[in-house]
Amino acid sequence: MRVTQMSVPLGIGATAPDFELRDQNNQRVSLSRLRSEGRKVLIVFFPLAFTGTCQGELGFIRDNLPRFANDEVTTVAVSVGPPPTHKVWSAAQGFLFPILSDFWPHGAIASDYGVFNPDRGYADRGTFLIGADGRIVFADVVGPGEARTEELWDKALGGSVGDIATES
């Protein structure tokens, strides 16, 4: 039996690792640039495009976009899938927010945030709200097979301070 070293998700108060990833339109998007606009940044890690739970979660963001993209917050979703896959999926689903590719080095940003699952080869469902100062003000990880709830989205967008929820 192989034992894999799992990283620990970043918690509230930690400095959010900066990144620059390509979105579904192959445009570079960086956390530092998003933060320079003076808004909080909600980072939504998801396992894979074209899967039911992920599609439902990102569909919730799409259907409630004014809550997720406004003068106070901007939202980006991150997956290990490549930009062309994200382009087809986001066009089909009407996702107008950035879907970022953590494709290569494979899962590096998810690893930096402590949500990459090396046994599966993709990120767990991590949700991080980054304040304008670059510190994490909300952090949560939903276990495999679980979907983020509306209550979790409300807490994330409210910037609630609390412990990271992880699957035991």
Side-chain angles (χ1 to χ4, degrees), residues 17-95:
D18 196 14
F19 57 78
E20 182 176 87
L21 299 171
R22 292 197 179 267
D23 70 7
Q24 68 267 39
N25 298 310
N26 211 33
Q27 300 299 306
R28 293 181 186 272
V29 175
S30 72
L31 177 60
S32 57
R33 182 155 185 195
L34 293 170
R35 283 188 29 246
S36 73
E37 297 171 1
R39 289 179 273 183
K40 295 176 185 171
V41 179
L42 183 66
I43 304 171
V44 177
F45 288 94
F46 68 98
L48 298 168
F50 296 101
T51 60
T53 301
C54 298
Q55 191 163 300
E57 289 180 332
L58 298 190
F60 183 84
I61 294 171
R62 177 201 58 219
D63 296 346
N64 296 278
L65 197 56
R67 291 176 60 193
F68 292 90
N70 54 55
D71 291 340
E72 295 179 20
V73 67
T74 190
T75 298
V76 297
V78 182
S79 171
V80 297
T85 299
H86 291 161
K87 175 83 172 173
V88 171
W89 189 51
S90 64
Q93 296 301 316
F95 299 148

Side-chain angles (χ1 to χ4, degrees), residues 15 99 108:
T15 299
I99 310 290

